[in-house]
Amino acid sequence: GRMFAQVLIERSAAKVYAAARNPDSIDLPGVVPLRLDVTDALQVAEAARQCGDITLLINNAGIFRTGTLDADDAVAVAREQMNTNYFGVLAMCHAFAPLLAANGGGAIANMLSALSWATLPGTGAYSASKSAAGALTNDIRQTLAAQGTQVLGIHAGYIDTDMVANVSAPKSSPRQVVMQTLDALEADASEVLVDDISREVKHALTSTPPAFRVA
């Protein structure tokens, strides 16, 4: 999220809003800080009220929790991730779509994941939440086409952020992800695969037999 704000400033965006649960944690010069928990309906509504001039909404908020079906907290872990990764995106799109329409259409970019197409041991609930967000992204693209809003789905493997600091796997740099995303928006794309992992996973879906499926 910080890198999105930083690069938008570098690209001379007229105004950049940066949202966090604790706006005091936002120390990037040149941005307008907002208090926002995407699972809090009142905070979503207040953020929309403050951002009347918005032309680009980047839904980057997300959480990653591992767990398995046989764990005592399996349902709670799944619900927590769905609340942020799916319902949070839905709430933001619902609140901000009218503002984008009023400002000429604009664009929405939703941070998805290569794990929306596949699961790894322990990622089932996370993958389900990102799969749901992917379906939502396709739906809002169709729904908002009439008002001229571009909707971009961003697919990535692991990105080198605090969220996956404990994951020992290849990671993309945040700047690389942001630059490719903004380039895709400028190209009026509907989807961007920002790293080798996302491209390989999507390609593997059409293999015979299908990859990532256990008989």
Side-chain angles (χ1 to χ4, degrees):
R2 179 185 177 88
M3 186 58 68
F4 270 114
Q6 181 175 325
V7 174
L8 284 167
I9 291 171
E10 292 172 2
R11 291 195 177 194
S12 302
K15 184 187 291 185
V16 178
Y17 297 97
R21 289 186 180 90
N22 176 14
D24 292 336
S25 68
I26 300 171
D27 59 0
L28 184 64
V31 304
V32 179
L34 296 175
R35 181 181 303 278
L36 178 61
D37 178 341
V38 298
T39 68
D40 185 320
L42 292 178
Q43 289 190 24
V44 171
E46 178 60 19
R49 188 192 68 79
Q50 295 183 54
C51 299
D53 55 353
I54 192 172
T55 57
L56 170 61
L57 171 66
I58 300 174
N59 283 310
N60 184 64
I63 59 172
F64 176 64
R65 304 282 188 267
T66 57
T68 55
L69 179 65
D70 56 358
D72 292 340
D73 62 349
V75 174
V77 167
R79 183 175 286 116
E80 180 187 20
Q81 293 181 97
M82 287 294 293
N83 281 343
T84 297
N85 299 346
Y86 172 74
F87 286 109
V89 175
L90 173 60
M92 291 293 291
C93 291
H94 176 73
F96 280 78
L99 302 177
L100 294 170
N103 294 326
I108 296 172
N110 290 339
M111 179 59 71
L112 304 174
S113 173
L115 288 175
S116 65
W117 296 318
T119 60
L120 298 174
T123 72
Y126 176 80
S127 294
S129 71
K130 286 298 187 178
S131 235
L136 172 65
T137 299
N138 292 334
D139 175 63
I140 64 172
R141 183 180 300 114
Q142 297 174 64
T143 302
L144 301 185
Q147 70 177 41
T149 299
Q150 177 190 2
V151 179
L152 175 70
I154 311 160
H155 287 275
Y158 294 118
I159 303 171
D160 192 10
T161 64
D162 292 341
M163 189 171 78
V164 292
N166 295 325
V167 174
S168 58
K171 300 173 186 177
S172 300
S173 76
R175 179 171 286 274
Q176 171 194 355
V177 172
V178 169
M179 296 296 283
Q180 290 188 68
T181 297
L182 296 182
D183 288 346
L185 285 167
E186 290 181 355
D188 199 31
S190 60
E191 180 178 79
V192 59
L193 313 181
V194 299
D195 54 19
D196 289 340
I197 292 176
S198 57
R199 288 185 284 269
E200 290 168 4
V201 171
K202 186 170 186 181
H203 176 73
L205 296 177
T206 61
S207 65
T208 306
F212 310 115
R213 182 176 298 172
V214 179

